[in-house]
Amino acid sequence: MKKILAISLLSAAAFAAVGCSHPQPYYAAPPPGVQIHDQGIHDGFEAARNDVAAGRPPNFAHHPRFRNPPVPGPAWGDYRDGFRRGYEQFLHQGPPPPPPPRY
């Protein structure tokens, strides 16, 4: 009986020591709309960079990715808003956006 009590107390202490008292961070993926918007910002920034490098007049509405976004139909608005913002960010000498994360 004493052995069982000693083993149970030792195992309880061992289980308590294994668990960390610090909370572990929880990293959740952003909602799909945010990912699509960020991808649009990145693509718009690159499109503006290419237009300036090629000497074309700046107009985000002429780009095929703006006219026909590479995302599902309901997300076109998010992508286009991001594309426009990224395009204007480059034209106004804003910092380049970080590459969108791949989940």
Side-chain angles (χ1 to χ4, degrees), residues 23-47:
Q24 297 297 318
Y26 174 71
Y27 298 105
V34 173
Q35 292 175 356
I36 290 170
H37 188 265
D38 290 349
Q39 182 65 45
I41 290 173
H42 184 264
D43 292 349
F45 194 89
E46 291 302 317

Side-chain angles (χ1 to χ4, degrees), residues 5-83:
L5 182 61
I7 290 174
S8 64
L9 288 176
L10 286 174
S11 62
F15 285 124
V18 171
C20 183
S21 63
H22 301 290
Q24 297 297 318
Y26 174 71
Y27 298 105
V34 173
Q35 292 175 356
I36 290 170
H37 188 265
D38 290 349
Q39 182 65 45
I41 290 173
H42 184 264
D43 292 349
F45 194 89
E46 291 302 317
R49 183 188 317 226
N50 291 338
D51 282 354
V52 169
R56 291 188 291 264
N59 189 349
F60 63 86
H62 288 166
H63 285 275
R65 285 186 163 247
F66 182 80
R67 286 183 276 132
N68 189 16
V71 295
W76 280 21
D78 289 334
Y79 182 86
R80 284 181 172 162
D81 182 54
F83 191 94

